[in-house]
Amino acid sequence: MTTLPFLRPTLLGALLGLQIAAQAAPAAPAEVRFDTTPRAGMHQRQTMDMKSTMSMRVEAGPDATEEQRAKIAQKAGQMADASNIKMTMRLQHTTQVGQPDVDGWLPLTFTSGNRSVSMEVGGKAIPVPNAGNADMRMTARFDPRSFDIEVQTAEGGPPGFGALMTAQGKSMLNDAFKLQKALAQRSLKVGDSVDVPLSMNLPVPLPGAAGGLQGQVHYTLVKVTGGVAYFDLNLTMDIQMNTPLPTPPVAAASDAASGASAPASAAEATPARMLRMVMKGSGKGTSTLRLADQLPLSTQLAMNMQMTVDGPDNSRMLMDMVMDTTSKGENLAKKPAAAPKKKN
């Protein structure tokens, strides 16, 4: 899957080279559908380029004590030179669909990986940790009638990816395919629009953590020409995530010593240290769809996002981010062999 699952609906598909033929372009149909449902024999690779610029600052939260405010002010001063971050990333995502099994389900194979990553902090290039992780590979089976999906295997990628996707992948993929289903079932004429809600549980690789995305994608069919449908799109999203943090070693040792002398009740136990994140964003872009085989040709999306992270020390990190994403791809499916010429 893609590294950013909540953007997947705007980045699905691949770029197919238009065949040059000595014939007129097909007439524009009266209605079209933004249908990218997996089909038997589909094999496509998509390349995504992402550029982002972030600025961040740290301040004391409303409940911070005077001691905490002093420490947070010191931390803010230390971060001043590293408050501006630039990142570029190229990702490749491949989807391959086999032939239906006896029950009508389609076997799917997803492969995703970074092809290049660069980062600047305070104007200085820095190495990116784990930039060389092996490609993530996942196999699943998909029911094109109900749009249900079952994850079978997950491997590669960062540590813990396989276990995470095995546990939470089904929910995440089902959420993503809900958008595809909604779009596939809606016919549009030029000038028509459709609003598709986004609702997705985000996988978080920590016990007790939870994350979710809510939003909406607004598609408008602008024109149909040369067998290609052109769409304008608008996106809004709201992400919230709560993550329990490990107990610091000093606190853990203190709790253990206290527990050895007298058992602590649940009320007396040290409360969990939580990290809370809220991100809101909006974006505008375009997408094109080749109608002959219902494959997206390209997508462009410009987004503005604001993020707030509240730490367990009553600190608050505020981040503004501008991100530009473009995608294009290629069809990797083998063309059927040409029929042998008849002998005279």
Side-chain angles (χ1 to χ4, degrees):
M1 300 297 296
T2 67
T3 55
L4 296 169
F6 49 91
L7 292 178
R8 175 181 168 79
T10 67
L11 301 175
L12 287 168
L15 175 63
L16 289 172
L18 298 176
Q19 296 181 352
I20 299 175
Q23 58 184 17
E31 296 182 335
V32 301
R33 297 183 181 187
F34 201 115
D35 185 1
T36 57
T37 307
R39 290 170 172 79
M42 176 187 291
H43 189 192
Q44 56 187 260
R45 179 170 60 214
Q46 186 177 64
T47 301
M48 291 162 280
D49 289 300
M50 304 172 66
K51 296 181 180 180
S52 62
T53 302
M54 295 168 280
S55 61
M56 59 184 180
R57 66 184 189 277
V58 177
E59 62 183 37
D63 298 327
T65 64
E66 290 302 319
E67 182 181 359
Q68 289 174 329
R69 289 178 183 277
K71 292 181 178 179
I72 293 168
Q74 184 179 12
K75 183 189 299 185
Q78 295 171 346
M79 291 181 57
D81 294 336
S83 59
N84 295 311
I85 301 173
K86 294 182 179 180
M87 177 180 285
T88 62
M89 181 182 299
R90 169 164 288 188
L91 309 171
Q92 281 191 336
H93 174 74
T94 303
T95 301
Q96 186 168 10
V97 186
Q99 297 302 314
D101 60 20
V102 294
D103 298 320
W105 289 61
L106 295 171
L108 307 181
T109 301
F110 302 108
T111 306
S112 297
N114 297 338
R115 294 297 171 260
S116 63
V117 183
S118 64
M119 180 182 292
E120 289 185 6
V121 177
K124 298 179 180 180
I126 64 170
V128 181
N130 301 323
N133 276 332
D135 284 356
M136 297 175 287
R137 184 177 184 274
M138 183 167 60
T139 60
R141 60 196 297 259
F142 170 72
D143 186 348
R145 298 155 298 189
S146 65
F147 276 69
D148 194 18
I149 190 165
E150 296 178 356
V151 176
Q152 296 174 317
T153 64
E155 58 188 13
F161 167 75
L164 175 66
M165 294 307 298
T166 300
Q168 304 183 36
K170 177 179 172 64
S171 174
M172 185 187 73
L173 290 174
N174 275 327
D175 289 339
F177 277 108
K178 286 178 183 177
L179 176 61
Q180 290 194 38
K181 184 177 182 179
L183 289 173
Q185 295 177 342
R186 175 68 184 270
S187 297
L188 298 175
K189 298 178 182 179
V190 172
D192 285 350
S193 298
V194 57
D195 292 319
V196 181
L198 284 176
S199 179
M200 185 177 296
N201 294 316
L202 301 179
V204 183
L206 289 171
L213 177 149
Q214 300 292 325
Q216 180 174 276
V217 186
H218 180 84
Y219 290 87
T220 301
L221 178 60
V222 177
K223 64 179 180 178
V224 181
T225 181
V228 177
Y230 294 78
F231 295 85
D232 284 344
L233 59 91
N234 288 271
L235 169 70
T236 59
M237 66 177 187
D238 184 341
I239 300 174
Q240 299 193 25
M241 191 173 297
N242 294 318
T243 304
L245 299 178
T247 302
V250 174
S254 176
D255 288 346
S258 299
S261 59
S265 66
E268 296 171 341
T270 302
R273 302 169 68 248
M274 298 295 294
L275 185 72
R276 295 179 173 85
M277 185 271 282
V278 175
M279 178 183 288
K280 297 181 181 293
S282 61
K284 294 183 177 182
T286 59
S287 188
T288 60
L289 179 74
R290 195 171 85 170
L291 300 177
D293 39 20
Q294 294 298 110
L295 286 172
L297 301 178
S298 62
T299 299
Q300 178 274 327
L301 182 65
M303 294 197 67
N304 288 280
M305 290 172 279
Q306 297 78 43
M307 182 172 68
T308 302
V309 180
D310 289 328
D313 59 350
N314 283 322
S315 64
R316 173 167 289 177
M317 178 179 290
L318 304 173
M319 179 182 293
D320 295 314
M321 180 165 61
V322 176
M323 182 170 66
D324 292 319
T325 302
T326 59
S327 70
K328 59 182 180 179
E330 56 189 311
N331 183 18
L332 304 179
K334 294 182 179 179
K335 297 180 180 180
K341 296 181 179 180
K342 295 183 179 180
K343 295 182 180 180
N344 294 331

